[in-house]
Amino acid sequence: TKLLDFACSEPPQNLSLWPCNGIILRKNREEGRFSAFPPERGIIVFRLIYPGSFDPPHKGHLDLIARASALADELIVAVLQNGDKAGKLSLETRCKLLKQVCAGYDNVRVRTFRGALADFFSEEKATALLRGLRSADDFGYELPMTVVNRGLKADCETLFLAASPEYSFISSSLVRELLRLQKDVSPYVPECIVPELEDLYQA
Ligand code: PNS
């Protein structure tokens, strides 16, 4: 899928499809988002999958969800079922918290997956995976996964968004540490889930 060429002229307001430099642009009438597709692939939904452990979700995740939901037709936040990271929260709890975090975004769905992410990518007929980059360290972690995912499914591309600077130091493991120490996590966690998260760690 080619990226949009914003240099093309604006389409007539009453059209939602128009050709531009060999690709077709489609406009989402309600929200004004644009999608671009090579004509040979027909009109497909620009669907991103944002996978992760989300144990727990934090403001850095929400930053990416908000920005990606504005770019894509659909965003699937995919919660790993069988990860090997030592977190306290069950899969159900992580999904529940994420649904609260994503409640304001109409085109965002929360789903779970197990096994290979590349298989889930195909099942969902997604356009690309989405991951956030906070630092060069993240890049070192992400690059092998990106290559392996493409090795499993050639069309399983990964797109990256750089974390907004104010969230570039937040991680789930730091939030877990603060929760274990019974310290305030409200600077780092979306407001709507702070009380529930604190309760879960006090139990
Ligand atoms: O939030 P995280 O823990 O950094 O997310 C890691 C995640 C879920 C993206 C990654 O562990 C994953 O995709 N796991 C599923 C198994 C898989 O397909 N791994 C990629 C090929 S090595």
Side-chain angles (χ1 to χ4, degrees), residues 87-140:
K88 180 181 167 84
L89 304 180
S90 68
L91 178 68
E92 292 70 27
T93 303
R94 286 179 282 149
C95 286
K96 185 177 165 215
L97 295 172
L98 269 171
K99 282 179 184 164
Q100 287 170 238
V101 167
C102 298
Y105 302 91
D106 290 349
N107 62 340
V108 178
R109 283 188 287 144
V110 177
R111 297 280 317 274
T112 65
F113 76 100
R114 61 186 309 125
L117 179 57
D119 290 336
F120 181 71
F121 174 88
S122 298
E123 283 158 25
E124 293 293 334
K125 299 184 173 44
T127 315
L129 300 173
L130 172 77
R131 295 283 287 172
L133 289 178
R134 292 166 299 187
S135 64
D137 285 350
D138 275 355
F139 186 71

Side-chain angles (χ1 to χ4, degrees), residues 51-54 80 85 113 115-118 131 141-142 145 148-149 152:
S53 306
F54 303 104
L80 179 65
K85 288 190 181 170
F113 76 100
L117 179 57
R131 295 283 287 172
Y141 170 65
E142 295 296 333
M145 283 202 295
V148 169
N149 282 329
L152 293 173

Side-chain angles (χ1 to χ4, degrees), residues 14-203:
N14 58 347
L15 282 186
S16 60
L17 286 175
W18 70 102
C20 173
N21 290 354
I23 59 175
I24 289 180
L25 301 185
R26 186 166 70 104
K27 186 172 184 186
N28 177 319
R29 283 163 185 272
E30 281 104 62
E31 296 167 44
R33 278 194 300 271
F34 293 89
S35 313
F37 310 105
E40 67 274 13
R41 286 185 64 179
I43 296 165
I44 57 171
V45 176
F46 181 25
R47 182 177 293 127
L48 290 178
I49 293 181
Y50 178 30
S53 306
F54 303 104
D55 193 356
H58 54 63
K59 284 185 179 177
H61 295 134
L62 177 56
D63 171 47
L64 240 72
I65 289 166
R67 290 161 60 202
S69 85
L71 289 172
D73 292 321
E74 286 180 25
L75 176 66
I76 298 174
V77 179
V79 189
L80 179 65
Q81 284 185 28
N82 52 343
D84 52 8
K85 288 190 181 170
K88 180 181 167 84
L89 304 180
S90 68
L91 178 68
E92 292 70 27
T93 303
R94 286 179 282 149
C95 286
K96 185 177 165 215
L97 295 172
L98 269 171
K99 282 179 184 164
Q100 287 170 238
V101 167
C102 298
Y105 302 91
D106 290 349
N107 62 340
V108 178
R109 283 188 287 144
V110 177
R111 297 280 317 274
T112 65
F113 76 100
R114 61 186 309 125
L117 179 57
D119 290 336
F120 181 71
F121 174 88
S122 298
E123 283 158 25
E124 293 293 334
K125 299 184 173 44
T127 315
L129 300 173
L130 172 77
R131 295 283 287 172
L133 289 178
R134 292 166 299 187
S135 64
D137 285 350
D138 275 355
F139 186 71
Y141 170 65
E142 295 296 333
L143 191 59
M145 283 202 295
T146 304
V147 173
V148 169
N149 282 329
R150 282 205 64 226
L152 293 173
K153 303 268 177 187
D155 65 342
C156 186
E157 299 284 7
T158 304
L159 301 177
F160 296 98
L161 282 179
S164 297
E166 60 270 39
Y167 305 123
S168 61
F169 60 91
I170 303 179
S171 66
S172 291
S173 57
L174 273 179
V175 174
R176 286 200 298 269
E177 180 76 0
L178 287 171
L179 286 163
R180 271 190 219 108
L181 296 167
Q182 315 247 310
K183 297 294 180 194
D184 178 25
V185 292
S186 59
Y188 312 114
V189 171
E191 204 181 341
C192 61
I193 62 168
V194 170
E196 188 165 352
L197 207 44
E198 288 178 345
D199 284 352
L200 284 163
Y201 268 78
Q202 272 158 19

